[in-house]
């Protein structure tokens, strides 16, 4: 199943919710969200800096990943950045793939 890195930044309301529910409450919510689209929460961590949380989810496809991101954004509690992750085997396959490309100016 494809894996996705989802970074989230809480809004003011999202931070208030975090203060109310605690960190464990947010992990439970993330787990339920991933499972609701047929996926699995692999890891969830809080972080300092530009992003407040970082999680890795296995999700069925890009449609499910988009649905998660759109739902989180529409809640008003956080904004997200979603990155599709590739396994080493997928990268091995990619580097062996023939691609017809001409660089600019070549």
């Amino acid at each position: 199943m494809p894996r996705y890195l989802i970074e989230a930044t809480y809004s003011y309301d999202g931070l208030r919710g975090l203060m109310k529910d605690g960190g464990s409450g947010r992990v439970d919510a993330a787990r339920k969200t991933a499972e609701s689209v047929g996926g699995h929460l692999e890891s969830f961590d809080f972080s300092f800096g530009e992003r407040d949380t970082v999680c890795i989810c296995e999700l069925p496809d890009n449609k499910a990943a988009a649905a998660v991101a759109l739902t989180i954004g529409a809640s008003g509690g956080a904004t997200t950045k979603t990155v599709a992750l590739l396994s080493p085997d997928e990268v091995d396959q990619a580097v062996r793939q023939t691609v017809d490309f001409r660089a600019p100016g070549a």
Side-chain angles (χ1 to χ4, degrees):
M1 188 175 303
R3 295 170 64 229
Y4 298 87
L5 168 70
I6 302 173
E7 300 173 319
T9 302
Y10 288 122
S11 66
Y12 174 75
D13 288 337
L15 288 172
R16 288 179 56 198
L18 172 64
M19 297 296 291
K20 178 183 174 192
D21 296 341
S24 298
R26 298 319 310 151
V27 174
D28 289 341
R31 181 177 295 109
K32 289 177 184 173
T33 299
E35 290 172 354
S36 74
V37 296
H40 169 76
L41 178 66
E42 189 174 303
S43 67
F44 185 109
D45 294 284
F46 292 91
S47 58
F48 295 123
E50 187 177 339
R51 304 289 181 224
D52 295 315
T53 67
V54 178
C55 69
I56 296 178
C57 296
E58 290 183 336
L59 300 173
D61 51 32
N62 287 339
K63 181 182 76 172
V68 167
L70 291 167
T71 300
I72 293 169
S75 77
T79 57
T80 63
K81 176 182 175 185
T82 304
V83 178
L85 301 175
L86 299 170
S87 69
D89 184 55
E90 288 173 310
V91 172
D92 289 346
Q93 292 175 37
V95 299
R96 289 190 296 265
Q97 176 110 16
T98 301
V99 178
D100 185 11
F101 173 74
R102 183 184 63 79

